[in-house]
Amino acid sequence: MRGEELVGFLHADVSGLLRGRSVPDSELEERIGAGVGWVPADQALTPFGPIAEPNPWGSTGDLRLLPDRDSEVRVDLWEDASPLHFFLCDATNTDGSPWDACPRTLLKHALSWLEEETGLRLISSFEQEFVLEGPAFEPGPGFSFEAQRLVEPFAPLVFAALRQAGLAPETFLPEYGSGQYEIPCSPAPGLFAADRAAAMREVVREVARTLGYRASFTPMVAPGGVGSGVHIHMSLVDPEGRPAFYDPDRPGQMSLLAARFAAGILEHLPALCAFTAPSVVSYLRLGPHHWSAGFGTMSEREREATIRIPPLVELSGGDPARQFNLEFRAADATACPHLALAVLVLAGVRGIREELPEPPLMEGDLSELDDEERRRLGVKTLPASLEEALRALEADEVVRSWVPDDLLECHIGVKRTEISLLQGLSLEEACERYLRVY
Ligand code: GLU
Ligand code: MG
């Protein structure tokens, strides 16, 4: 029984979850111009349910969720389940004017600012890891082909679903962690890269659900385990599409512009983490020896750096200039992709504008050095907890100035409420709570 086809008008909120309402597909054309009703305080929903109090709106006000036609996802693979059909939306005022606490709108502003300041556009992709769970599911060894075949037909179905959704999957890989997988999707222009990240999670969850698994993108399934990251790849191109981040004659083969973009991010890193790694368990993943982001540094190929320069492949005539990108690794799926990308871009633009000094390219295991030596080398540390990241945000006037007041107040309120909702729970229990939601 498939019933009537419904189309979701959805919005990635500060918790990084897609929320919204659905309309009948048969009325889509009449509905798409005016969207569906929404409530400002919905932005203040914590991942665990309760609305953060106080929040800037209380019980007052009305919004619309207004779909972007270019973000449509429709997957029709199931005989006994209706198509997975949705659009990503901007949250707007009822007259259609931008609502200034909408993360997708903030990303649009950040991308326009980038273009005004530099004449360049952002190309990005989000690499997102997740785990599959199911009753009696015995995961195979890390990276093994068996780990892929054990969940058959998950891989071919999720690939077909992501392709139908227009999300351009590239490869399917069993990851290192138990039951952990990853499906990189092709890079896209800034706004659509964040849309793709949000949509990809929903498609993966749906395919998992139809096969009796649950997919979770939580940053840490259990304390001391293997983390699931979201690695945000970024590069800039000029109006003709020519890459602006590559320079074969400079250290790391990165242009001065790319180095300054990275410098802006590293300069504001602790405050940015409040948006890119915004959960209590995010900080079980960050830190040395997790292959996530050990310190606030930049390195070539090093998987412990916050900004990694991935390898350039020259096989089969690959063009290094087009491949060159910066990979930001201190992010996870508890972040709203639009909000995370917006603040990274704004920090990068600031680095370019202020001509910040290029960060050094680090090598080796920096955890083996003592604090003094790390300070001498300019190695920055990452926040050790969500509370520390929030305090860094409160102390960073520059980052605060980028985020509209209501959105900032709401974000900090949601995150502090989230911390208080977990008070008294063990780390195991906290991981369990996030595992159920993400
Ligand atoms: N699982 C690691 C993380 O938490 C990433 C491993 C990799 O480099 O793919 O970011
Ligand atoms: Mg990976």
Side-chain angles (χ1 to χ4, degrees):
M1 284 278 284
R2 287 168 46 117
E4 189 168 342
E5 181 168 338
L6 297 176
V7 189
F9 288 181
L10 310 178
H11 167 80
D13 67 9
V14 300
S15 301
L17 298 171
L18 281 183
R19 307 195 205 243
R21 297 176 178 179
S22 294
V23 302
D25 184 54
S26 53
E27 293 169 20
L28 183 59
E29 280 315 310
E30 298 106 84
R31 297 287 206 141
I32 207 160
V36 291
W38 198 239
V39 177
D42 287 349
Q43 186 69 273
L45 281 159
T46 61
F48 308 125
I51 294 182
E53 291 292 350
N55 69 68
W57 309 285
S59 50
T60 318
D62 287 283
L63 300 170
R64 305 300 290 178
L65 289 181
L66 216 52
D68 183 335
R69 279 187 187 269
D70 292 331
S71 73
E72 182 173 15
V73 163
R74 187 173 185 279
V75 182
D76 188 6
L77 284 180
W78 306 280
E79 264 160 35
D80 52 356
S82 70
L84 177 74
H85 194 178
F86 60 87
F87 289 79
L88 293 181
C89 300
D90 291 334
T92 69
N93 296 309
T94 47
D95 62 2
S97 61
W99 180 52
D100 62 6
C102 167
R104 195 171 186 271
T105 302
L106 181 67
L107 177 56
K108 286 183 180 172
H109 289 157
L111 296 169
S112 311
W113 199 54
L114 166 71
E115 217 163 326
E116 268 165 44
E117 288 290 327
T118 65
L120 301 169
R121 287 180 299 112
L122 178 79
I123 304 293
S124 174
S125 70
F126 287 57
E127 246 182 276
Q128 314 198 88
E129 294 167 330
F130 58 93
V131 291
L132 289 182
E133 287 195 316
F137 168 45
E138 295 257 2
F143 299 126
S144 72
F145 191 51
E146 191 186 7
Q148 175 176 327
R149 298 302 297 181
L150 275 169
V151 293
E152 186 69 10
F154 176 73
L157 279 182
V158 81
F159 229 83
L162 290 167
R163 205 186 289 294
Q164 264 194 19
L167 303 179
E170 288 178 330
T171 49
F172 183 94
L173 53 130
E175 258 284 356
Y176 176 62
S178 176
Q180 191 185 37
Y181 299 88
E182 182 179 319
I183 311 159
C185 295
S186 300
L191 183 64
F192 298 116
D195 286 351
R196 265 186 191 181
M200 184 270 191
R201 296 176 198 166
E202 221 53 48
V203 172
V204 168
R205 287 191 185 111
E206 180 82 10
V207 174
R209 204 159 28 228
T210 57
L211 295 174
Y213 300 104
R214 182 161 184 279
S216 175
F217 290 77
T218 187
M220 197 51 98
V221 172
V226 175
S228 288
V230 171
H231 303 164
I232 306 179
H233 294 257
M234 294 169 285
S235 64
L236 300 183
V237 295
D238 74 9
E240 280 74 50
R242 283 184 303 243
F245 265 10
Y246 178 67
D247 184 342
D249 300 324
R250 285 180 32 89
Q253 298 181 278
M254 74 193 306
S255 67
L256 182 58
L257 184 100
R260 287 178 173 154
F261 189 90
I265 292 173
L266 293 180
E267 169 100 358
H268 294 286
L269 183 62
L272 299 181
C273 286
F275 296 107
T276 62
S279 72
V280 170
V281 296
S282 297
Y283 295 86
L284 300 178
R285 172 183 162 260
L286 298 180
H289 304 151
H290 291 281
W291 288 31
S292 54
F295 291 96
T297 53
M298 178 163 72
S299 295
E300 268 184 290
R301 302 188 177 200
E302 171 59 61
R303 289 184 176 78
E304 293 260 302
T306 288
I307 298 181
R308 170 178 178 256
I309 304 175
L312 304 173
V313 181
E314 282 154 35
L315 287 165
S316 300
D319 177 1
R322 296 209 164 271
Q323 292 166 41
F324 189 98
N325 66 82
L326 297 178
E327 177 186 24
F328 179 83
R329 297 171 68 87
D332 62 59
T334 58
C336 167
H338 302 83
L339 196 46
L341 192 58
V343 293
L344 290 176
V345 168
L346 290 163
V349 175
R350 177 162 193 275
I352 294 171
R353 232 169 92 108
E354 304 291 318
E355 303 189 350
L356 293 183
E358 336 184 5
L361 285 173
M362 295 289 174
E363 278 178 17
D365 184 352
L366 300 170
S367 70
E368 284 175 0
L369 309 178
D370 59 31
D371 286 350
E372 187 57 45
E373 184 70 358
R374 276 198 293 267
R375 245 196 311 277
R376 199 182 59 74
L377 291 171
V379 175
K380 299 200 172 102
T381 48
L382 286 149
S385 66
L386 177 57
E387 182 52 42
E388 216 179 278
L390 292 171
R391 278 199 221 117
L393 172 60
E394 284 167 329
D396 190 331
E397 275 176 35
V398 175
V399 173
R400 281 199 346 249
S401 74
W402 298 333
V403 184
D405 290 346
D406 283 354
L407 180 55
L408 185 69
E409 187 187 327
C410 168
H411 183 77
I412 294 175
V414 166
K415 295 296 143 187
R416 287 248 159 79
T417 309
E418 193 172 319
I419 293 171
S420 71
L421 289 170
L422 295 176
Q423 219 106 63
L425 297 190
S426 66
L427 285 177
E428 281 77 8
E429 288 166 329
C431 285
E432 184 64 27
R433 295 292 298 276
Y434 283 102
L435 178 67
R436 296 290 139 234
V437 177
Y438 289 94

